[in-house]
């Protein structure tokens, strides 16, 4: 049909009805219209009356519109089928008064091709050219694309469907008979492995199957097949097999080769040297070894290999499963293990590739069993097409044997169970991408990517020691880009083998960026991405959606909440999807409740997501929104008006700020990456909002560098943001972080920039923050009066009573300024105002800080009872808030208050508690680490003096002198 004219009309009925003109498919409309076309078309140019058409399509219940409905179908068919400009009288559908006719001249029909090829094939068969006839019959059968006229209603379509199906059956029978006469008995049995329900009662098919079984020296099975048919026919239809089938049964009993296999087979059987067309049938079973050869060097798998080859209980069939992601080296491992084990299994070592993740057609259990039984060469009992009976035959054949069976590229346990041998002491090695938890196994091995050492060793083996040693750093970088995946390492190594002028560093450069990384990991028919894609294609639709969503996760590691937000599904439903992806080895679970994608798998998932931009946009926004909500909920700034722009937390899956903080803690050092991820996706507003919201979280944990890095990433793109508040807000945040790092000059400069931007943009919130920030710098450098002036201006600008967070911070700074000048009562008044606003905000950390500062004044004035009361409340609050620094600071001051009230013993205990808290801080991230230690030990030394423990006191004062020096004060 390839030689047809460019504009020829071609219509196919050997499957769903289809029409093409010049290769372009034509729209044939709804099924009733297609049924009208089929009736006209298959009448072979005959005239059909309206009544005939109506009855053939609608039967005894014609439409109420009567014959008019035909015109409503015929006219659209003419427009679809006729070439442009065709006159009405020259249409392919002709008409007259009360009739229609299809002009078949000039139309290419696949049913006409079927007739032509079928006649030619049968002529070839009669001439004795059996091999050529098989090819011609196969070609004719290939014209069928499924059930003829599939889905079309009406008695006419049904009659034609049955007629064409019968023609198909006749061609199939002719082909199978040719195969029998050629001695290709196994091809016949392969064709008959899977039968339709109607085929189970087809005596002609059974006859050919019996002849093929007999040709394979399986006389008993051929006889049993006849008996099975006889029982089915008698029990279900109440009849006996036909005379022809009975004669065939008797021919099998008397081993009549001529009747069963043809005259050539009879002549061959009479002579020792048989013809090539009829090779001798096997008489005895032979031990076989079908294991493939080792491909490549096995590196870094010593522990897994030992697990696969260790001895198991001798009286049972041992099953060991190996699972892992695509390209991790499962096949290489099980083949190596099988080769080491093969000497222990004298009855044979068999290998079956079930092709679950292959471009080839997946092998069914029926096909695999047929092949395994033929490999053994001595299957006893019936080998029917029915899986249950076929499994019984396999178990009967293997029960006396001790076999080693390797099943590679397995999809699920249903593929494996029928193939398990019955012989005690046999072993089955199962390899697949999925974790077959429903399969009972003695040992399960999950193969992970190679560690850095093993990966370097494998790559060095491929590219050569000299080449790797010349570029050790580039070699390590290439291993990192391949993320320990053996398939990726072998492809990268092969590319270097084939390109002698390339350096390792050059290939590393070519793989820079996710877009190019997977593209470079492809050579010939091997491709990392293709391997991943085959795994993806096996997933159910909800799993595929989940996999695409995970490709857009802002962090490498995550729990169920982020995917739940991205998918818009409840956590329990999302967890089910995640666990199924773990079982499919597309997702890793480094520890309970936490998940991650292999680097290269994540790149593939992201590429799949990018192919659906509409879906991807909603998913990534949902993920970023979750991080923004968590950061804003956990931040003390997140009170009303604290974050006046951007989405406000709504419907977030966190019970309170502590819950949100715990979730952020689990992300560890990846929170900064969330900001970078948002920028990379073009979501600059979210990058800015998240960076701002994380500042309070980062600074109270002493993670100043992370706060600074996140802000700098967002600030570099702030001009692209649509939220104008971000320009001054991020600068205020950066300067605020700088104050904690004791970078006062730098912070003053950045606060001043934020002040100018907020004033020019008429943003009173950020103007207030800038003024209070400048006041905090003033206090830190001892400029108390300037600080008070700025705070007074800030509170006037913002009308602070309406913003409790700003007001509490402002009054704290004002109180510290008064304290610096020695104005204790004014300081206490300012702290009282700050406490009022902190109480309203109900944030423990802010309130604990205010109480602690007020207690400092009372300690200075000798009011120890008041100081104790405030400090006990403060320590409880900051301990609840998880602020280790403020907790240690409060405990040591509480000790001083106890000593002031005459209980130095209690003071010593409290100072020691403060030292324990101090040890929880990091000297690398906490600028006031040394200062706080000196403060605690000085107070502890004075408490020891008060108890008369001079030696201990001296030790503490010496320890103070040994501290390298305070890195600044944190008041």
């Amino acid at each position: 049909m390839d030689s047809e004219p460019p504009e020829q009309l071609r219509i196919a009925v050997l499957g769903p009805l289809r029409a093409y003109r010049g290769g372009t498919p034509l729209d044939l409309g709804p099924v009733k219209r297609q049924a009208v076309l089929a009736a006209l078309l298959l009448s072979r140019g005959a005239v059909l009356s309206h009544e005939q058409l109506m009855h053939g399509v609608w039967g005894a219940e014609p439409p109420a519109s009567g014959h008019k409905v035909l015109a409503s179908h015929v006219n659209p068919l003419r427009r679809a089928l006729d070439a442009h400009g065709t006159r009405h009288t020259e249409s392919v559908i002709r008409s007259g008064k009360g009739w229609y006719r299809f002009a078949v001249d000039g139309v290419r029909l696949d049913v006409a091709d079927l007739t032509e090829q079928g006649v030619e094939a049968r002529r070839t068969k009669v001439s004795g050219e059996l091999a050529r006839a098989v090819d011609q019959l196969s070609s004719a059968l290939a014209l069928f694309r499924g059930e003829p006229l599939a889905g079309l209603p009406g008695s006419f379509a049904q009659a034609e469907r049955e007629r064409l199906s019968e023609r198909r059956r006749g061609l199939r029978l002719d082909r199978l008979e040719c195969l029998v006469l050629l001695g290709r008995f196994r091809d016949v049995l392969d064709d008959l492995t899977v039968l339709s329900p109607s085929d189970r009662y087809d005596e002609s098919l059974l006859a050919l199957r019996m002849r093929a079984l007999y040709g394979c020296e399986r006389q008993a099975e051929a006889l049993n097949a006849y008996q099975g048919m006889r029982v089915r026919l008698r029990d279900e239809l109440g009849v006996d097999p036909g005379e022809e089938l009975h004669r065939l049964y008797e021919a099998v009993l008397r081993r009549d080769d001529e009747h069963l296999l043809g005259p050539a087979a009879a002549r061959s059987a009479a002579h020792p040297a048989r013809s090539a067309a009829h090779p001798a049938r096997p008489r005895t079973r032979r031990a076989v070894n079908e294991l493939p050869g080792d491909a490549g060097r096995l590196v870094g798998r010593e522990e897994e290999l030992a697990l696969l080859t260790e001895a198991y209980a001798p009286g049972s069939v041992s099953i060991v499963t190996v699972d892992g992601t695509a390209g991790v080296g499962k096949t290489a491992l099980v083949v190596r293990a099988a080769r080491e084990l093969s000497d222990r299994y004298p009855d044979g070592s068999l290998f079956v590739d079930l092709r679950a993740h292959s471009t080839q057609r997946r092998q069914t259990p029926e096909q695999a069993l047929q092949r395994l039984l033929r490999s053994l060469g001595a299957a006893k009992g019936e080998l029917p097409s029915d899986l249950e009976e076929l499994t019984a035959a396999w178990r009967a054949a293997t029960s006396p044997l001790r076999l080693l069976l390797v099943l590679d590229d397995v999809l699920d346990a249903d593929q494996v169970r029928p193939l398990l041998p019955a012989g005690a002491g046999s072993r089955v090695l199962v390899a697949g991408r999925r974790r077959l938890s429903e399969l009972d196994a003695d040992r399960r091995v999950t193969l992970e990517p190679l560690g850095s050492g093993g990966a370097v060793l494998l790559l060095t083996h491929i590219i050569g020691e000299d080449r790797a040693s010349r570029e050790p750093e580039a070699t390590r970088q290439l291993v990192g880009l391949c993320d320990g995946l053996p398939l990726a390492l072998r492809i990268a190594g092969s590319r270097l083998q084939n390109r002698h002028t390339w350096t390792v560093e050059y290939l590393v450069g070519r793989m820079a960026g996710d877009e190019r990384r997977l593209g470079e990991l492809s050579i010939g028919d091997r491709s990392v991405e293709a391997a991943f894609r085959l795994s993806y294609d096996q997933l159910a639709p909800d799993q595929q959606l989940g996999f695409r969503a995970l490709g857009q996760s802002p962090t490498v590691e995550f729990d169920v909440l982020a995917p739940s937000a991205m998918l818009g599904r409840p956590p329990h439903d999302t967890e089910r999807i995640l666990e199924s992806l773990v079982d499919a080895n597309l997702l890793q679970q480094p520890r309970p409740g936490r998940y991650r994608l292999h680097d290269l798998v994540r790149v593939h998932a992201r590429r799949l997501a990018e192919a659906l931009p509409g879906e991807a946009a909603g998913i990534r926004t949902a993920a970023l929104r979750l991080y923004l909500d968590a950061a804003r909920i956990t931040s003390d700034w997140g009170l009303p008006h604290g974050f006046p722009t951007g989405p406000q937390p709504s419907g977030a899956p966190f019970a309170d700020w502590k819950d949100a903080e715990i979730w952020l803690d689990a992300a560890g050092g990846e929170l900064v990456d969330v900001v970078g991820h948002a920028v990379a996706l073009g979501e600059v507003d979210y990058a800015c909002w998240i960076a701002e919201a994380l500042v309070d979280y980062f600074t109270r944990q002493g993670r100043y560098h992370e706060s600074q890095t996140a802000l700098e990433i967002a600030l570099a793109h702030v001009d692209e943001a649509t939220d104008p508040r971000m320009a001054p807000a991020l600068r205020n945040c950066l300067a605020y972080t700088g104050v904690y790092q004791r970078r006062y000059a730098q912070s003053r400069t950045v606060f001043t920039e934020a002040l100018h931007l907020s004033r020019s943009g008429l943003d009173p919130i950020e103007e207030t923050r800038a003024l209070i920030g400048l006041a905090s710098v003033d206090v830190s450098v001892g400029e108390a009066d300037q600080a008070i002036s700025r705070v007074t201006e800030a509170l006037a600008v913002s009308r602070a009573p309406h913003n409790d967070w700003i007001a509490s911070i402002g009054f704290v700074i004002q109180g510290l300024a008064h304290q610096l000048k020695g104005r204790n009562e004014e300081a206490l008044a300012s702290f009282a105002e700050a406490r009022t606003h902190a109480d309203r905000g109900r944030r423990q950390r802010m309130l604990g800080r205010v109480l602690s500062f007020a207690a400092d004044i009372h300690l200075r004035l000798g009011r120890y009872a008041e100081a104790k009361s405030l400090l006990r409340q403060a320590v409880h609050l900051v301990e609840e808030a998880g602020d280790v620094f403020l907790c240690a600071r409060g405990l040591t001051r509480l000790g001083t208050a106890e000593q002031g009230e005459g209980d130095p013993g209690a003071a010593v205990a409290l100072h020691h508690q403060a030292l324990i808290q101090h040890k929880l801080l990091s000297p690398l991230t906490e600028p006031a680490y040394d200062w706080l230690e000196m403060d605690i030990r000085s107070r502890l030394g004075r408490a020891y003096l008060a108890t008369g423990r001079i030696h201990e006191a001296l030790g503490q004062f010496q320890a103070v002198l040994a501290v390298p020096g305070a890195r600044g004060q944190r008041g």
Side-chain angles (χ1 to χ4, degrees), residues 515-766:
E515 298 78 12
R516 303 180 62 187
R517 193 168 169 191
L518 284 177
E520 291 296 322
L521 292 175
S522 175
I523 186 168
D525 61 352
R526 291 198 298 174
S527 164
V528 172
E529 186 159 30
F532 293 157
R533 182 69 196 221
L534 288 168
S535 291
Y536 171 81
D537 288 342
Q538 298 289 346
L539 301 177
D542 61 340
Q543 294 173 312
Q544 290 184 338
L545 173 60
F547 183 67
R548 294 193 299 271
L550 296 181
Q552 299 197 86
S553 172
T555 59
V556 172
E557 195 173 293
F558 44 84
D559 67 354
V560 72
L561 286 188
S564 177
M566 290 190 286
L567 294 173
R569 297 190 179 205
H572 65 86
D573 190 28
T574 304
E575 184 179 32
R576 175 185 59 79
I577 294 174
L578 296 180
E579 289 296 325
S580 69
L581 292 175
V582 171
D583 288 339
N585 271 300
L586 284 169
L587 185 63
Q588 298 171 322
Q589 194 171 36
R591 55 186 184 276
R594 301 293 294 178
Y595 304 90
R596 72 182 301 275
L597 289 170
H598 183 280
D599 281 358
L600 293 174
V601 175
R602 184 170 59 255
V603 173
H604 177 58
R606 190 171 300 160
R607 285 162 69 114
L608 289 172
E610 289 168 353
L612 298 169
E615 174 189 280
I619 288 174
R620 69 170 177 251
T621 299
L624 295 174
R625 175 66 185 273
L626 181 66
Y627 282 91
L628 176 63
D629 286 353
R632 287 188 165 184
I633 288 170
T634 197
S635 173
D636 279 353
W637 303 0
L639 305 172
H641 312 297
F643 298 107
T645 58
Q648 302 303 312
S650 174
F654 306 111
D656 52 27
W657 70 269
K658 291 181 182 178
D659 197 21
E661 184 173 274
I662 291 170
W663 187 75
L664 291 174
D665 288 344
E670 292 195 72
L671 289 175
V672 174
D673 296 335
V674 175
V675 178
H677 181 76
V679 168
L681 292 173
E683 300 282 358
V684 177
D685 281 320
Y686 271 101
C688 294
W689 293 328
I690 294 170
E692 176 195 31
L694 285 171
V695 170
D696 186 52
Y697 168 80
F698 278 143
T699 54
R700 71 168 174 260
Q701 294 194 4
R703 294 160 66 178
Y704 310 120
H705 178 71
E706 289 176 78
S707 178
Q708 177 184 339
T709 302
L711 290 165
E712 287 174 346
I713 291 172
L715 265 171
H717 299 271
V718 75
D719 292 341
E720 304 166 33
T722 61
D723 185 351
R725 186 179 69 84
M726 286 297 99
L730 294 182
R731 286 176 171 83
N732 276 329
C733 291
L734 186 61
Y736 178 81
T737 302
V739 170
Y740 273 94
Q741 295 172 297
R742 304 302 182 255
R743 299 175 179 175
Y744 300 124
Q746 177 184 335
S747 292
R748 177 172 280 167
T749 299
V750 180
F751 274 133
T752 302
E753 291 176 8
L755 182 62
H756 292 324
L757 285 172
S758 59
R759 283 174 171 169
S760 63
L762 302 178
D763 188 336
I765 296 292
E766 295 311 320

Side-chain angles (χ1 to χ4, degrees), residues 771-772 775-776 778-779 783-796 806-834 837 853 857:
L771 287 168
I772 290 177
S776 70
D778 293 335
V779 167
E783 298 174 0
D785 291 334
Q786 176 68 19
I788 292 171
S789 174
R790 290 191 198 275
V791 170
T792 302
E793 181 183 1
L795 296 178
I806 291 178
S808 58
I809 288 291
F811 282 119
V812 164
I813 299 298
Q814 187 183 75
L816 291 173
H818 283 305
Q819 181 181 358
L820 191 63
K821 298 294 286 186
R823 297 192 286 265
N824 296 317
E825 296 305 325
E826 290 89 337
L828 287 172
S830 295
F831 291 142
E833 287 286 344
H837 293 288
F853 290 152
I857 303 294

Side-chain angles (χ1 to χ4, degrees), residues 36-37 39-41 43-54 58 66-78 88 91-103:
V36 170
L37 173 60
L40 289 168
L41 184 70
S43 294
R44 300 165 189 80
V47 170
L48 290 180
S49 68
H50 290 177
E51 288 74 15
Q52 287 174 308
L53 267 177
M54 294 285 289
W58 281 274
H67 297 167
K68 293 179 181 179
V69 74
L70 290 175
S72 72
H73 288 305
V74 169
N75 291 333
L77 285 172
R78 284 169 170 163
H88 180 77
S91 171
V92 293
I93 301 179
R94 309 290 169 83
S95 61
K97 187 174 182 179
W99 59 268
Y100 288 105
R101 178 176 70 84
F102 195 94

Side-chain angles (χ1 to χ4, degrees), residues 73 84 147 182 188 341 371 384 398 484 545 576 665 748 911:
H73 288 305
H84 182 70
E147 183 184 45
L182 286 168
V188 176
L341 289 167
R371 179 170 170 261
T398 57
L545 173 60
R576 175 185 59 79
D665 288 344
R748 177 172 280 167
H911 294 316

